[in-house]
Amino acid sequence: MRIGLSGGAASVDRMITQAQDAEADGFSSLWYASGVAGDPLVAMALAGRATQSIELGTAVLQTYPCHPLLQANRVIAAANAMGRPGLCLGLGPSHEPIVRDVLGLSYDHPARNTGEYLRIVGPLLRGEDVDVDGTDWSAHTAGRATRPDHPIPLLLSALSPRMLRIAAHFADGVVLWMAARQAVESRIVPVLDAATAEYGRPRPRVVAGLPVAVHDDVDEARNAVAANAVAYAGMRNYEQIIRAGGGTNAADVAIVGPESEVHRQLQALLDAGATDLWAQPVAVGTDRAERSASVRRTKALLSALAREG
């Protein structure tokens, strides 16, 4: 199985060690949220220089606060500094409460905004110039763009049919969070496959991310997931994809249970059409020792499955 973990630690040095340990444990990737280390790109470049093959991806950098030309230049600069292939750019328009209330920007046309953004970023990541006039974004590089030394895959955080079609047209695939097997199988993959066939593009990559806890008490594990998911309240995009997966909250769609059950649920995600699994181990327990032991148990299973290939 291609299994990755959530990336991030209290310091850049610890992030480098985390990447080295994850690579040694057989994990294929680490995925960094936009707020990791304030901005994850510098730490990712340093972690990439200290490792050999593990993929380091953003999940995701926000589109609205950064012009696509600037975004592409800074990502390519980080990838070039990394000195090897393996940096993956995951982008997303974020959520209305963040864009509107925190950034003070309009969220009236997120699909149109994202489509124009990817229309610019995609060619730039391939080292091409762009000459685009859009409603929300425009760019005319004329040789001023930074050139990548290695390929940089582009993934989109896409959950709605329109956003999935945008991903199929302009990206290499999607990076999902909180999309359970049912949502991947019935909502994500059919739209992606149909759209990539229509556009004559390769079958897309589908990175499916979920909280994971290997634990014998399923209820206790789900309670731990719920306690760590309060930030998702009021985020309409997450609420919709959780409902599409048959749940009402993050705890309902998390992958929890003893080793055999977690293995079965991970395989079901792959059978539904996911190409990569992104696991966020959840600590379960009432004290520090118990919580640490639960995370070690979860990572041990994930590492064993990752090593199987």
Side-chain angles (χ1 to χ4, degrees):
M1 291 182 176
R2 285 184 54 84
I3 301 178
L5 300 173
S6 293
S11 69
V12 172
D13 285 343
R14 290 186 180 182
M15 288 173 66
I16 292 171
T17 300
Q18 179 192 48
Q20 292 172 324
D21 290 344
E23 183 173 76
D25 289 339
F27 292 105
S28 63
S29 56
L30 288 172
W31 299 94
Y32 300 85
S34 62
V36 169
D39 183 320
L41 287 174
V42 171
M44 290 168 64
L46 293 172
R49 293 184 70 86
T51 50
Q52 300 297 316
S53 61
I54 190 168
E55 180 179 38
L56 306 176
T58 59
V60 293
L61 296 186
Q62 300 171 347
T63 56
Y64 277 92
C66 186
H67 189 280
L69 175 56
L70 174 60
Q71 188 88 274
N73 281 347
R74 60 195 287 268
V75 169
I76 292 169
N80 289 352
M82 188 165 141
R84 65 169 177 86
L87 192 145
C88 177
L89 173 59
L91 288 174
S94 190
H95 305 273
E96 185 171 7
I98 295 174
V99 174
R100 183 194 62 217
D101 300 335
V102 177
L103 300 177
L105 301 172
S106 170
Y107 199 77
D108 289 343
H109 302 283
R112 182 187 72 194
N113 191 290
T114 303
E116 292 182 0
Y117 202 99
L118 265 63
R119 185 181 168 200
I120 296 171
V121 166
L124 292 173
L125 294 181
R126 298 190 295 271
E128 303 169 7
D129 279 316
V130 295
D131 189 14
V132 174
D133 284 303
T135 302
D136 298 310
W137 300 105
S138 299
H140 309 278
T141 57
R144 288 185 288 268
T146 304
R147 306 297 179 182
D149 294 336
H150 307 283
I152 303 173
L154 173 61
L155 304 178
L156 178 64
S157 175
L159 301 174
S160 70
R162 187 174 177 189
M163 291 288 282
L164 289 165
R165 287 183 60 83
I166 290 170
H169 198 174
F170 298 110
D172 300 302
V174 295
V175 56
L176 311 172
W177 181 244
M178 291 295 173
R181 177 205 59 78
Q182 181 178 327
V184 172
E185 184 175 57
S186 65
R187 182 185 179 110
I188 304 295
V189 170
V191 176
L192 276 176
D193 284 349
T196 49
E198 176 184 340
Y199 296 132
R201 305 206 57 219
R203 190 170 187 275
R205 188 174 174 192
V206 178
V207 180
L210 285 168
V212 179
V214 177
H215 202 272
D216 297 321
D217 189 328
V218 171
D219 290 337
E220 186 179 2
R222 294 201 186 280
N223 288 338
V225 173
N228 285 279
V230 293
Y232 303 136
M235 300 293 189
R236 186 175 61 183
N237 295 343
Y238 285 138
E239 291 172 349
Q240 289 176 344
I241 199 62
I242 287 171
R243 285 198 300 271
T248 59
N249 55 57
D252 292 337
V253 298
I255 294 179
V256 301
E259 280 82 355
S260 60
E261 179 59 18
V262 167
H263 185 185
R264 184 193 67 78
Q265 293 178 62
L266 292 172
Q267 185 60 53
L269 266 176
L270 295 174
D271 294 341
T275 59
D276 302 70
L277 304 175
W278 159 28
Q280 180 169 293
V282 176
V284 185
T286 57
D287 58 50
R288 183 174 181 178
E290 187 179 2
R291 290 165 60 83
S292 296
S294 74
V295 170
R296 288 196 298 271
R297 182 179 174 186
T298 297
K299 286 186 175 179
L301 173 66
L302 295 171
S303 174
L305 295 175
R307 290 177 183 278
E308 290 178 1

